[in-house]
Amino acid sequence: MDDFVRDTLAQAGLNDLIKVFKDEGIDTETFYMLQDADIEKLIPKMGSRLKFKKLIRRLKAEQTPNESPNHFPTHGHQKGEEETGMTEVLPSTSDTGKRKSGQQLGSKGQPAAKRKCETNSSTETEAKMLNTVRNTMGDIYAMLQDDSDLNKILKTKIKNLETEKKELVGVFGKTGAGKTSLINAVLKEKNLLPSGSVSACTSVMIKVEDNRQNEKYEAEIEFISPEDWEDELGSLLSIIKKGNQETEDNVDDSDEEYHDAADKLTALYEDEWKEKSCEQLMETKYFKEIPEFLCSTSKTLVFESAKDLSTDIVKYTRDAAKNEDYDKIKKWYWPLVKCVTVRVPDNPFLQHVTLVDLPGNGDRNKSRDTMWKGIFGDCSTVWVVTEINRAASEQESWDILKNVASQIGNGGECRHIHIVCTKSDDIDDSHELTKAETQALILKRNAKAKLSVGKELNKLDKIKKHFSDECFQVFTVSSREFFRKRDLSPEDTEIPKLQEFLQNLNDCHSETLNYVSGAHGILSLIHGANLRKEDDRIKEVFAALEKNLTLQTKSIKNEMMKIFKVFEERLQKGVERSKNSYGNILTSTLYPRKRDGRGFHKQLKKAVENEGVCRPKKGREMNINMNLTSPLTDSIDEEFRTTFPNDGKCGPFKGVIYGFSILTKELKEKYKDVELQLISVESEEERLKISLNKSIRKRKKTVYRSLAKTIGETMQDCYNKAAACTGRGTLQNMRETIENHVHGSKNTMFEEAKKVMMNHLDNLMVDVLKTLEDTMRESIELSLKTDDLSLPDVSAQLERVQKLRDELRSC
C-alpha cells in the first residue's frame, strides 16, 4: 500500500478498509484496476462497499484526459495542473505572513518550530507537494515498460527515492520518577500509558509511535520465546532454591535477586510455583489466555480510546501485583513480554518520532537485554527523568547515564541528552499559599534545580568525551499541572518546550526536499537523454568529470589515511596503558571498597555467568569487559567523536564526505548546454552523500564497540571457569581465575582488540571509497552516454517538479 491509497481511504472515512487493502497489496496502480468482483471480495460489508464504489466512481470521473490510466489526482493534483503548475494550486511554503488560525504555537505564543515555513499550513503544503511528486514518479515508473538495462536502473533509482525518517527518543529514570506521566503529558494523552502509584513500576520496554493504518489505539505485545522463558524459569527457581537454603540474613544484592525472582514467579503463577517443577510450570494451562506466546507470535489489541488501552495493557507492562489499585487482575504477563508497542492515531508529535519508555538498567533475560541495548544505541535523543527535589543528588539516574554513555555516544547515534526534572509543582504546604506565592516558589526552585544539575553535568568528564556541551539541556516539568492548570500556566510546566523539540524532530522538510531534488535529477537524466546528440562537448564534459572524480576520491583517500594513522597511534598508546594498568583495573573491579565479601560474591557470580556483565536494578553496573577496555577507549574517544560526529554538522571523516563534489562552478558555467546532464549528476551526488552519511553512522557503532566485544570474547573462557567455582573460597577462586587469565593474556588481548578495530575501520573506509567511485562513475555514464529513444517524454513533468524543487529550496 502507498500513501495515496491510505490517504484516499482515510479522507473518505473508510479507515476500516486500510488494513484490508494493505494486506492485499493494493497500491495506486491496482487500486484503479479494481472491478466489481474484486470489490465484492475485498469488502463483504454492504455499507462500506457502497461507499467505496461511490468513491472510486468519483475518482475515475475526476481523471483528466492526459492522465495515465493508473494515476488519479490527490492532495491538490487537480485538473489544469499541467498548465498552471503546482505553485498556483498550493499556498506558498515561504509565505509566513498568512498563517492559519489552527496552527500550533510554542510556549511563548510564537510558532512552535524555529524555521519560518514550519507552520501547520506549510507542513500540509509540503506533504501535498511530496505526494504530487510521488504520483508523478509513479507514472514515470509505469511508463518504463520494457526490461532494458537502462529501464531497470531508472526503476531502481525511483524506488530508492523513498526513505523513512524515524527518530528514537529513549526515556529512562528510576521507579516513580514520572516517566509515563511525562510521556502522557507531552503527547497530550492523559490516560495513555498506565501511571500513578510508586509501588507499580513499568517492567518492560514500551514503544509509543504513530498509528498510520487507522483511527484506533493499538497495543502490540511481543513475547519472549517459550525456550527463553524456560531457561529463565530454571534460573529463577535456582535463585529461589539458593535463597531458601541460606541460614543468615540476606544482604542487599541477594535480597534484590531473590525478591525479583519471587515477584516474577508470583506475578505469573500466583503461589503455585512454590510446589511445582520447571517442567510443570511450562504446561500450556498457564498460558491459555495468551496462545500467541506459545506460538511465538505477537498479540495485537485494538481500542477505541486511550483509557481503554491503558486499563488493558497494565498486566503486560507493569509490576503491580501487590498494588490494591489492580486487585482485580489475577494474572500478570509482564514477565513473558519482550516489548509493547503502543500506536496512537493522529498525534502530531509522533509522525516520525518513536518514544521508548526504557525500564532501568537493562534486563537479565538475554533477548530483552539485547533489544534494550539495541534501542539505546539507536536513540537520537535521551531523556533522563528524575524528580526535581533530588535531581542533582539522585545517584540512580546519573549511574544509568554513566553506564550507557559510550553506547549512546561514540557507540551510538545520540545527539541530545535532556535532564528532565519532574514534579516541579510538588511544594510543601502549598495549600497554605496563594496561587501567586506557589507559582513564585515553583519557578524559583526550577531555576535553582537547573543550576545544580548543570554543575553536576560539568563534573562528568568521561561522558563529555562523547558529547559536546550543546547536546545537554535541562527541563523542569510538571505533568500534573500541564493538565490541571491550577498553579502554573502551560508554558511554566515546560511541557510545551519538549513538544516543540519533538515537532522539530518530526520536521520532514529536508526529506521532502531530498525526494523532490532526487526526482528532479532522474527526470533531468531522462529528458537529457532524449535531447542528447553525440558531439565533442559531451566528450569534454565526460573527461572533466572523470578527472574531477579521480582527484576528489584521491583527496578523500589521503584524508582517510591520515585519520587511520592517528587512530593507530592513539590505540597503540592505549594498548601500552592497558598492559601497565590492568592490575589496578582488576583491583578496583574485583576488590571494591565498602563492599562486604558476601554481597560482592553474588554480584561477581552473576557477572561471570553473564559474559562479564552484571546489571543490578539499582546502582552502577559491573562490566569487567568495559573496565579492561577503558584505557583503549579513553585513548580514542575525543578523536572518534570528531571523526564520526552524531550531530551531523560537518559529517563523517572530518567533513570530507560532505565536501565531496565533482561539479565545480566553472564546469557548470562552461557547459550550460548540457545543464540537464549535470543536474542529473549533481542530484545523484547529493543523494549518495546523504545515503553514505546514514550508513557510516550505523557502521561506526560496530567499529567502536568492537574493542569491548573482542575483550569480552577473549575473556569468555575464564568467565566459564570462574562460573564453575563452588564451595568454600569461591569468591577468591573467581578473582584469581580472572586475574591469572588477564595476566597471561596481557601481551595479546589488547593488541588483538586494536587489530580488530583497525580492520573494521579499514573495511569501512574501503567500502565508502568504492561506493563513491562506482556510483558516481555510473552516474556520469548514464547522464552523458545515454541516448535511448524509447524513453518517455518527461518535459512537462520535469518543468512541474523543477518549480516545486525551487520553491522548497527557497524555504
Side-chain angles (χ1 to χ4, degrees):
M1 174 187 285
D2 53 27
D3 287 345
F4 168 77
V5 177
R6 179 167 47 249
D7 293 347
T8 301
L9 292 173
Q11 290 167 12
L14 295 168
N15 294 298
D16 55 323
L17 300 182
I18 291 175
K19 188 174 188 306
V20 177
F21 277 54
K22 181 184 178 184
D23 292 344
E24 294 296 328
I26 306 297
D27 58 11
T28 302
E29 181 178 357
T30 52
F31 183 97
Y32 220 30
M33 296 165 64
L34 289 172
Q35 303 298 317
D36 283 348
D38 304 317
I39 296 171
E40 294 283 339
K41 289 180 182 178
L42 269 176
I43 314 172
K45 291 184 178 179
M46 184 175 291
S48 298
R49 186 165 66 243
L50 292 173
K51 289 180 182 177
F52 179 78
K53 285 186 175 181
K54 181 179 179 182
L55 169 68
I56 201 165
R57 280 197 301 270
R58 177 175 62 79
L59 288 171
K60 287 180 179 179
E62 288 177 356
Q63 276 191 290
T64 59
N66 62 345
E67 285 178 321
S68 63
N70 53 12
H71 172 87
F72 32 114
T74 179
H75 297 306
H77 189 86
Q78 298 171 1
K79 187 174 180 178
E81 185 179 295
E82 288 286 332
E83 293 77 23
T84 63
M86 278 294 296
T87 51
E88 295 179 28
V89 177
L90 300 172
S92 170
T93 60
S94 57
D95 181 8
T96 57
K98 299 177 182 179
R99 303 191 185 278
K100 291 188 178 181
S101 60
Q103 75 179 62
Q104 294 187 0
L105 299 180
S107 59
K108 302 297 181 185
Q110 300 300 319
K114 294 177 183 177
R115 205 170 51 249
K116 288 183 179 180
C117 45
E118 277 189 19
T119 63
N120 277 355
S121 58
S122 68
T123 301
E124 291 168 6
T125 299
E126 288 193 6
K128 290 177 180 178
M129 287 179 169
L130 180 59
N131 210 35
T132 297
V133 178
R134 275 180 174 153
N135 286 337
T136 298
M137 299 313 292
D139 289 346
I140 302 300
Y141 189 94
M143 292 178 191
L144 302 171
Q145 295 290 342
D146 65 71
D147 289 330
S148 67
D149 289 342
L150 176 59
N151 280 359
K152 287 178 182 177
I153 291 171
L154 290 172
K155 285 183 175 181
T156 299
K157 284 182 175 292
I158 293 171
K159 286 180 180 178
N160 289 343
L161 288 173
E162 293 290 349
T163 57
E164 176 66 16
K165 175 184 169 75
K166 183 58 71 174
E167 301 277 356
L168 280 181
V169 177
V171 186
F172 69 80
K174 64 171 287 186
T175 300
K179 291 184 297 176
T180 50
S181 296
L182 173 69
I183 292 172
N184 289 349
V186 168
L187 298 180
K188 294 186 176 180
E189 291 277 7
K190 187 176 182 179
N191 300 309
L192 181 63
L193 299 184
S195 63
S197 173
V198 173
S199 63
C201 62
T202 304
S203 298
V204 303
M205 184 189 303
I206 303 177
K207 299 179 188 177
V208 187
E209 61 186 32
D210 185 34
N211 186 353
R212 299 185 181 185
Q213 303 304 319
N214 54 59
E215 299 300 308
K216 309 288 186 183
Y217 291 82
E218 293 183 352
E220 182 180 345
I221 319 294
E222 184 180 352
F223 298 98
I224 62 175
S225 69
E227 294 76 20
D228 273 356
W229 175 242
E230 189 169 10
D231 288 344
E232 188 174 352
L233 188 55
S235 298
L236 296 174
L237 292 173
S238 177
I239 291 167
I240 296 293
K241 185 178 179 181
K242 288 179 184 177
N244 290 337
Q245 289 173 348
E246 298 288 348
T247 56
E248 300 175 19
D249 292 336
N250 288 333
V251 292
D252 290 344
D253 289 272
S254 62
D255 274 345
E256 178 191 302
E257 186 176 44
Y258 180 89
H259 291 304
D260 183 35
D263 286 348
K264 281 189 175 182
L265 293 169
T266 303
L268 186 58
Y269 299 106
E270 297 185 78
D271 289 333
E272 288 187 46
W273 63 268
K274 296 177 180 178
E275 299 176 357
K276 302 277 186 180
S277 67
C278 182
E279 186 178 355
Q280 289 172 317
L281 292 174
M282 286 301 297
E283 291 176 5
T284 56
K285 66 179 181 179
Y286 293 109
F287 315 107
K288 61 184 179 182
E289 290 184 27
I290 47 169
E292 298 87 353
F293 164 71
L294 294 173
C295 301
S296 295
T297 59
S298 297
K299 183 182 186 73
T300 301
L301 307 170
V302 182
F303 306 92
E304 293 294 332
S305 69
K307 189 173 183 179
D308 291 341
L309 179 146
S310 179
T311 301
D312 212 68
I313 68 168
V314 170
K315 58 182 172 232
Y316 298 104
T317 61
R318 289 170 76 78
D319 180 4
K322 298 174 184 176
N323 189 290
E324 61 184 18
D325 293 341
Y326 304 112
D327 56 3
K328 292 182 180 179
I329 300 176
K330 302 302 179 187
K331 277 273 189 180
W332 297 85
Y333 296 114
W334 59 264
L336 303 175
V337 176
K338 186 176 181 180
C339 175
V340 174
T341 301
V342 172
R343 298 190 180 94
V344 183
D346 297 326
N347 193 292
F349 307 111
L350 294 174
Q351 290 174 353
H352 302 284
V353 170
T354 296
L355 293 175
V356 189
D357 188 346
L358 291 155
N361 207 6
D363 199 286
R364 291 190 182 96
N365 177 275
K366 284 192 176 181
S367 63
R368 279 193 291 258
D369 192 56
T370 299
M371 176 178 275
W372 184 87
K373 286 188 285 189
I375 290 291
F376 244 126
D378 290 340
C379 286
S380 62
T381 301
V382 164
W383 289 352
V384 184
V385 182
T386 181
E387 292 181 57
I388 193 168
N389 56 1
R390 47 181 180 270
S393 60
E394 174 54 59
Q395 198 57 41
E396 189 172 334
S397 296
W398 294 114
D399 282 341
I400 297 175
L401 182 56
K402 290 172 185 175
N403 291 341
V404 302
S406 63
Q407 294 178 53
I408 63 176
N410 285 339
E413 38 190 292
C414 183
R415 304 191 299 275
H416 309 279
I417 295 178
H418 295 164
I419 312 299
V420 184
C421 308
T422 57
K423 306 181 183 180
S424 67
D425 62 311
D426 256 358
I427 296 289
D428 293 336
D429 303 321
S430 61
H431 61 282
E432 298 175 1
L433 304 172
T434 66
K435 179 177 179 179
E437 289 171 333
T438 301
Q439 187 180 60
L441 275 176
I442 291 171
L443 297 180
K444 182 179 179 181
R445 186 176 66 173
N446 287 354
K448 187 177 179 181
K450 288 184 178 183
L451 283 174
S452 59
V453 170
K455 289 178 181 177
E456 287 299 311
L457 282 171
N458 288 331
K459 297 176 185 177
L460 303 177
D461 294 333
K462 279 207 169 186
I463 292 178
K464 289 289 188 81
K465 285 187 177 182
H466 295 267
F467 305 97
S468 63
D469 290 337
E470 294 78 39
C471 291
F472 297 93
Q473 275 186 277
V474 183
F475 297 87
T476 50
V477 308
S478 171
S479 304
R480 179 170 60 182
E481 274 298 307
F482 178 73
F483 289 114
R484 188 171 62 177
K485 300 180 179 67
R486 190 185 71 184
D487 297 321
L488 295 174
S489 66
E491 290 75 17
D492 287 334
T493 69
E494 296 202 2
I495 294 293
K497 289 184 179 180
L498 291 174
Q499 291 173 332
E500 178 181 344
F501 174 80
L502 291 185
Q503 283 182 322
N504 288 337
L505 280 186
N506 274 302
D507 171 44
C508 271
H509 175 79
S510 59
E511 279 70 21
T512 301
L513 180 57
N514 291 340
Y515 186 100
V516 174
S517 297
H520 181 252
I522 294 170
L523 294 171
S524 297
L525 169 60
I526 296 172
H527 193 50
N530 283 333
L531 299 177
R532 193 183 75 81
K533 294 179 181 179
E534 185 64 46
D535 57 28
D536 291 337
R537 297 280 286 173
I538 290 290
K539 292 177 181 178
E540 283 181 33
V541 177
F542 188 91
L545 291 176
E546 281 279 350
K547 180 182 177 181
N548 287 350
L549 177 59
T550 300
L551 291 172
Q552 285 285 303
T553 51
K554 185 178 179 180
S555 174
I556 291 176
K557 186 176 181 179
N558 289 339
E559 184 61 36
M560 285 181 169
M561 288 173 68
K562 292 178 188 176
I563 291 169
F564 190 89
K565 186 177 180 181
V566 170
F567 273 104
E568 192 160 39
E569 290 173 352
R570 297 200 175 197
L571 273 177
Q572 190 56 47
K573 291 179 181 178
V575 168
E576 297 306 318
R577 279 201 290 268
S578 296
K579 292 178 182 178
N580 295 326
S581 62
Y582 75 88
N584 292 333
I585 292 171
L586 289 177
T587 298
S588 62
T589 303
L590 302 177
Y591 301 87
R593 296 177 180 179
K594 299 181 182 179
R595 293 294 303 274
D596 64 72
R598 183 182 182 78
F600 182 70
H601 164 262
K602 296 275 188 182
Q603 189 177 21
L604 184 57
K605 190 73 170 178
K606 283 185 280 185
V608 296
E609 290 173 347
N610 188 40
E611 301 174 352
V613 183
C614 173
R615 292 192 180 90
K617 277 193 171 182
K618 297 179 181 178
R620 294 292 302 273
E621 72 175 18
M622 172 189 282
N623 193 323
I624 302 171
N625 307 323
M626 290 294 289
N627 292 348
L628 289 170
T629 309
S630 59
L632 293 170
T633 53
D634 287 347
S635 70
I636 61 163
D637 273 339
E638 291 182 6
E639 183 67 24
F640 199 95
R641 177 165 70 86
T642 57
T643 303
F644 301 106
N646 287 334
D647 57 23
K649 290 178 182 176
C650 68
F653 295 113
K654 307 291 180 72
V656 294
I657 303 298
Y658 275 3
F660 170 85
S661 180
I662 62 174
L663 286 160
T664 63
K665 186 178 180 181
E666 292 75 20
L667 196 68
K668 293 178 185 177
E669 289 291 328
K670 184 176 180 181
Y671 297 105
K672 286 187 175 181
D673 51 329
V674 288
E675 182 184 19
L676 287 172
Q677 287 86 343
L678 294 181
I679 287 172
S680 171
V681 173
E682 186 176 39
S683 173
E684 182 64 17
E685 193 176 81
E686 289 304 311
R687 186 206 65 80
L688 178 60
K689 288 193 283 188
I690 292 167
S691 174
L692 278 175
N693 187 43
K694 289 181 180 178
S695 66
I696 292 169
R697 188 179 292 167
K698 297 293 180 186
R699 287 186 62 179
K700 66 101 173 179
K701 294 188 280 190
T702 302
V703 175
Y704 186 83
R705 295 176 187 178
S706 67
L707 290 172
K709 186 173 184 288
T710 304
I711 296 293
E713 290 169 351
T714 308
M715 292 290 293
Q716 193 54 51
D717 282 346
C718 91
Y719 293 149
N720 293 339
K721 291 175 184 176
C725 294
T726 57
R728 187 178 295 276
T730 295
L731 175 58
Q732 191 57 31
N733 289 337
M734 288 191 294
R735 285 168 168 163
E736 290 177 0
T737 299
I738 294 169
E739 288 172 322
N740 291 339
H741 180 87
V742 176
H743 182 72
S745 306
K746 66 176 181 178
N747 291 324
T748 57
M749 179 167 65
F750 304 113
E751 286 281 2
E752 180 64 18
K754 173 201 164 189
K755 178 183 174 183
V756 171
M757 180 178 176
M758 295 308 295
N759 282 340
H760 279 300
L761 182 60
D762 183 53
N763 290 337
L764 174 58
M765 290 176 169
V766 169
D767 289 348
V768 168
L769 279 170
K770 188 176 187 309
T771 302
L772 264 176
E773 197 163 3
D774 290 353
T775 305
M776 290 314 301
R777 185 155 281 123
E778 180 189 73
S779 179
I780 295 169
E781 290 269 353
L782 276 173
S783 299
L784 296 171
K785 291 193 173 182
T786 297
D787 55 358
D788 192 330
L789 298 178
S790 67
L791 289 173
D793 177 10
V794 296
S795 53
Q797 292 93 330
L798 175 61
E799 183 181 355
R800 182 166 68 247
V801 171
Q802 183 166 330
K803 286 181 181 179
L804 294 176
R805 185 204 60 168
D806 292 344
E807 188 168 350
L808 284 166
R809 281 184 171 180
S810 71
C811 198

